[in-house]
Amino acid sequence: MLYVGVDLGGTNIAVGIVNEEGNIIEEGSTPTLVGRPFSVIVKDMAQCILSTIKKAGVTLNEIENIGVGIPGVGDQNTGDVIFCTNLGWTNEPLRRELQKHIDKPMYLDNDATVAGLAESVAGVSAGCASSVFLTLGTGVGGGIILGGKPWSGHHGVGSEIGHVTLEIDGEMCTCGKRGCLERYCSATAIIRMGRQAIIMNPHSMMNEMSHFDPNQVTGRIVIDAAKQGDEVAMQVFRRYVKYLALGISSIICFLDPQMIVLGGGISKAGNFLLDPLKLEVDRYAMYKGIKTADIQIARLGSNAGIIGAAMLGSRISE
Amino acid sequence: MLYVGVDLGGTNIAVGIVNEEGNIIEEGSTPTLVGRPFSVIVKDMAQCILSTIKKAGVTLNEIENIGVGIPGVGDQNTGDVIFCTNLGWTNEPLRRELQKHIDKPMYLDNDATVAGLAESVAGVSAGCASSVFLTLGTGVGGGIILGGKPWSGHHGVGSEIGHVTLEIDGEMCTCGKRGCLERYCSATAIIRMGRQAIIMNPHSMMNEMSHFDPNQVTGRIVIDAAKQGDEVAMQVFRRYVKYLALGISSIICFLDPQMIVLGGGISKAGNFLLDPLKLEVDRYAMYKGIKTADIQIARLGSNAGIIGAAMLGSRISE
């Protein structure tokens, strides 16, 4: 049997035909062109799915179901999108609209949850009884996988780990609260700290690397400068590692999963991030000597969205 | 069938014979007398269990299994206690030792988890698909119940919600970290804030209520003074509600359970706590308009420990 996975983004709709082992056998994509009517975007999505199936040389009969990873919150029972801020969608009947074009079972879930599911099926956390996935990008997305199934909460608004409070009255967050974890653990956070550090310490290597314009600082510049031994960048990086370790330590205290998987832009730092992070998390352990969650870098990269979406049906309906 | 539930505390070992509906049909207790050898304490526990069974007029054959709620961390597979700080136990084979005296299946779990399980079987969260239980006492204990079963994590150290970070570099915690949730949301926290408030505002009603000795402030004094309209106490109470709301909002963002149940000393404030708390949690909602966890006060009181322990076997082995 084959599955269709759709990674619905603000720029592109990426489609993949995925086999039972979680391998993508054919891909396609179409621009989202946000701002167009909902039904027109869904029609494009359907046409992209159908053309990708054709390109793969398979028939619609061979497709078991379709899964869509959405950048927001959905209702898994009705198949409705509840909120997708980036797409400007509120309460849109995605399943019903898609099924007008393709008569197949259709599932949806949050994109970070879907990526976490992909890692737990075909990636670094394959075989784990429980895992928590974190995307360290513009924000911090979260995916919780328990017993092989995605956990998005009773009302579908769970796994938003980026909005767990890490600092009372801390940095203002886009969600309206203050001090959310993603204000300290995202790429945006490391950029903010890097920018502040350059202004205070113009001799930092980061200044030249960002062409003497603090607005051009990126997460990569901070990490590259830290790797090269720039003390100012190292201070920013150490502070970031501390914040991320506190966030991960909270996940361990709360849910104690078998593995915590890091994805998103900042995770590309690999062992340069992982090694000090593990030491810092160990320092925060409540019970010294008891093994807790293994922390690993995600393996599937940008394919995780398609693979995890394709797996939604078989996991949810098990 | 009947079950034995044991609530193992630092002062007393409370034993109950519990029926399938979660009702206690007979009770017994024996002092823990901490400091005595492990095997002697377990022997007393066994004798108390046997005498309570006898007192109930039932036979050992009618007992399905024994569950023990421990004030610490246990290994559910081996039945060993890993840590019980208050009892001074580390890596003690509780199941093996107890089975020397009573040959029955024996289960153990953390006391807050066990109390959460009790509420989900016979208390306020009965019938909920998922719930999180918080004890607002000296510390903040947590219990996570998913699909009717306790979730204590992959390594048995989960549901320690009291040690989720709420403030980077915040108040020093007994666990070695800083800024743990229980430093802001426990009875100890409200007492600390009340004490500080009296020193700054000696005209507060709380001062007389604590006999002009800040060390005699209790959670109850703060709440009673706030109920009577003392402005200084109200300020402390509002700050406490804000912290607890941030903690609960984090639980919603992370796990999104169907219900959050509040137990422990502070929960005795009832609606005086619940009403402003719900308003504050709503204020922090990420998606306005989507229903999230119902917040309720626990119903079973101090019986929850015995009832939940008794239910451990049937829930874990399902």
Side-chain angles (χ1 to χ4, degrees), chain A residues 159 169 177 242 249 254, chain B residues 155 159 169 177 242 249 254:
Chain A
S159 85
D169 298 326
K177 283 200 290 189
K242 173 184 167 172
S249 168
F254 193 0
Chain B
H155 314 85
S159 85
D169 298 326
K177 283 201 288 189
K242 172 184 168 173
S249 169
F254 192 1

Side-chain angles (χ1 to χ4, degrees), chain A residues 12-306:
Chain A
N12 275 297
I13 299 169
V15 170
I17 314 299
V18 178
N19 66 18
E20 286 177 25
E21 288 74 43
N23 298 313
I24 299 177
I25 62 163
E26 189 60 76
E27 278 180 278
S29 93
T30 187
T32 315
L33 302 175
V34 169
R36 299 183 299 161
F38 169 71
S39 61
V40 176
I41 293 178
V42 177
K43 193 178 172 194
D44 273 7
M45 184 193 289
Q47 282 174 344
C48 183
I49 292 171
L50 292 170
S51 69
T52 309
I53 290 172
K54 199 172 169 190
K55 199 161 59 154
V58 299
T59 65
L60 200 54
N61 278 338
E62 293 170 80
I63 303 296
E64 180 84 11
N65 56 51
I66 299 170
V68 183
I70 61 170
V73 175
D75 183 323
Q76 288 151 45
N77 295 318
T78 60
D80 290 359
V81 167
I82 299 174
F83 279 113
C84 274
T85 315
N86 293 346
L87 305 180
W89 290 0
T90 306
N91 295 321
E92 295 286 8
L94 183 56
R95 180 185 294 155
R96 208 173 64 206
E97 192 64 32
L98 191 66
Q99 285 179 338
K100 286 183 186 169
H101 306 282
I102 310 174
D103 184 25
K104 287 284 174 187
M106 182 273 198
Y107 302 90
L108 86 179
D109 211 324
N110 172 267
D111 50 9
T113 297
V114 153
L117 178 61
E119 292 291 339
S120 83
V121 171
V124 69
S125 48
C128 281
S130 54
S131 61
V132 170
F133 180 78
L134 293 177
T135 52
L136 309 172
T138 309
V140 173
I144 300 173
I145 312 299
L146 301 177
K149 298 184 189 184
W151 175 270
S152 295
H154 186 78
H155 313 84
V157 298
S159 85
E160 289 284 3
I161 297 164
H163 298 282
V164 163
T165 301
L166 199 59
E167 175 95 331
I168 299 165
D169 298 326
E171 299 277 339
M172 195 68 211
C173 186
T174 51
C175 76
K177 283 200 290 189
R178 284 186 170 275
C180 290
L181 185 143
E182 72 172 35
R183 292 301 102 200
Y184 301 88
C185 301
S186 61
T188 311
I190 208 168
I191 291 166
R192 184 188 72 237
M193 293 190 283
R195 202 169 281 169
Q196 287 164 348
I198 286 181
I199 293 166
M200 302 291 286
N201 307 276
H203 62 280
S204 164
M205 191 187 282
M206 294 187 288
N207 206 356
E208 196 179 338
M209 290 166 82
S210 51
H211 310 289
F212 303 98
D213 177 2
N215 291 323
Q216 290 192 39
V217 173
T218 61
R220 186 172 190 153
I221 285 175
V222 176
I223 289 168
D224 282 351
K227 278 183 180 166
Q228 290 174 54
D230 180 73
E231 189 47 42
V232 178
M234 269 310 295
Q235 277 173 19
V236 169
F237 186 68
R238 272 190 224 113
R239 196 141 62 96
Y240 176 79
V241 166
K242 173 184 167 172
Y243 295 158
L244 184 57
L246 284 172
I248 287 176
S249 168
S250 289
I251 294 172
I252 290 172
C253 286
F254 193 0
L255 207 60
D256 177 26
Q258 186 174 357
M259 189 182 281
I260 292 171
V261 180
L262 305 180
I266 297 295
S267 75
K268 291 179 185 156
N271 288 336
F272 186 70
L273 171 68
L274 217 46
D275 293 344
L277 184 66
K278 286 181 176 178
L279 286 176
E280 191 83 0
V281 170
D282 281 348
R283 242 168 45 81
Y284 297 137
M286 267 190 76
Y287 303 102
K288 315 291 180 196
I290 298 189
K291 189 175 151 37
T292 56
D294 193 12
I295 307 169
Q296 294 291 344
I297 302 288
R299 271 201 206 132
L300 303 174
S302 55
N303 286 335
I306 288 175

Side-chain angles (χ1 to χ4, degrees), chain B residues 187-199 204 206-223 236:
Chain B
T188 311
I190 208 167
I191 291 167
R192 185 188 71 237
M193 293 190 284
R195 202 169 281 171
Q196 287 164 349
I198 286 182
I199 294 167
S204 163
M206 293 187 288
N207 206 357
E208 196 178 338
M209 290 167 81
S210 52
H211 309 289
F212 303 97
D213 177 3
N215 290 323
Q216 290 191 40
V217 174
T218 61
R220 187 174 188 151
I221 286 175
V222 176
I223 290 167
V236 170

Side-chain angles (χ1 to χ4, degrees), chain B:
Chain B
M1 262 302 172
L2 297 169
Y3 307 86
V4 171
V6 180
D7 185 0
L8 173 60
T11 308
N12 274 298
I13 299 169
V15 170
I17 314 299
V18 178
N19 66 17
E20 285 177 25
E21 288 74 44
N23 298 312
I24 299 176
I25 62 163
E26 190 58 77
E27 279 181 276
S29 92
T30 186
T32 315
L33 302 175
V34 168
R36 298 184 298 161
F38 169 71
S39 61
V40 176
I41 293 177
V42 177
K43 193 178 170 194
D44 273 5
M45 184 193 290
Q47 282 174 343
C48 184
I49 291 170
L50 292 171
S51 68
T52 309
I53 291 171
K54 200 172 166 188
K55 199 161 56 155
V58 299
T59 65
L60 201 53
N61 278 340
E62 293 170 78
I63 303 296
E64 179 85 9
N65 55 52
I66 299 170
V68 183
I70 60 171
V73 175
D75 183 324
Q76 288 151 46
N77 295 317
T78 61
D80 290 358
V81 168
I82 300 174
F83 279 112
C84 274
T85 315
N86 293 346
L87 305 180
W89 291 359
T90 307
N91 295 321
E92 295 286 8
L94 183 57
R95 179 184 296 156
R96 209 172 64 207
E97 193 65 30
L98 190 66
Q99 286 178 339
K100 285 183 186 170
H101 306 282
I102 308 172
D103 184 25
K104 286 283 172 185
M106 181 274 196
Y107 303 89
L108 86 180
D109 210 325
N110 173 267
D111 50 9
T113 298
V114 154
L117 178 61
E119 292 291 340
S120 83
V121 172
V124 69
S125 48
C128 281
S130 54
S131 60
V132 170
F133 179 79
L134 293 178
T135 53
L136 309 173
T138 309
V140 173
I144 300 173
I145 312 299
L146 300 177
K149 296 183 190 184
W151 174 271
S152 296
H154 186 77
H155 314 85
V157 298
S159 85
E160 289 284 3
I161 296 165
H163 298 282
V164 163
T165 301
L166 199 60
E167 175 94 333
I168 298 165
D169 298 326
E171 298 278 338
M172 194 72 213
C173 186
T174 50
C175 76
K177 283 201 288 189
R178 282 187 172 276
C180 290
L181 184 143
E182 72 172 34
R183 292 301 102 200
Y184 301 87
C185 301
S186 61
T188 311
I190 208 167
I191 291 167
R192 185 188 71 237
M193 293 190 284
R195 202 169 281 171
Q196 287 164 349
I198 286 182
I199 294 167
M200 301 291 287
N201 307 277
H203 63 280
S204 163
M205 192 186 284
M206 293 187 288
N207 206 357
E208 196 178 338
M209 290 167 81
S210 52
H211 309 289
F212 303 97
D213 177 3
N215 290 323
Q216 290 191 40
V217 174
T218 61
R220 187 174 188 151
I221 286 175
V222 176
I223 290 167
D224 282 349
K227 277 182 181 168
Q228 290 174 53
D230 180 74
E231 188 49 42
V232 178
M234 269 310 295
Q235 278 174 18
V236 170
F237 186 66
R238 275 191 223 111
R239 194 141 63 95
Y240 176 80
V241 166
K242 172 184 168 173
Y243 295 159
L244 184 57
L246 284 172
I248 287 176
S249 169
S250 289
I251 293 171
I252 290 172
C253 286
F254 192 1
L255 206 59
D256 176 25
Q258 185 174 356
M259 188 182 282
I260 293 171
V261 180
L262 305 180
I266 299 295
S267 73
K268 292 180 185 156
N271 288 336
F272 186 71
L273 172 67
L274 217 47
D275 293 343
L277 184 67
K278 285 181 177 179
L279 285 176
E280 190 84 0
V281 170
D282 282 348
R283 244 169 44 82
Y284 299 139
M286 268 191 76
Y287 304 100
K288 315 293 179 194
I290 298 189
K291 189 177 150 36
T292 56
D294 191 13
I295 307 169
Q296 293 293 346
I297 302 287
R299 273 202 205 132
L300 302 174
S302 57
N303 285 335
I306 288 175
I307 298 169
M311 294 291 124
L312 274 177
S314 54
R315 297 293 152 161
I316 291 175
S317 57
E318 251 170 20

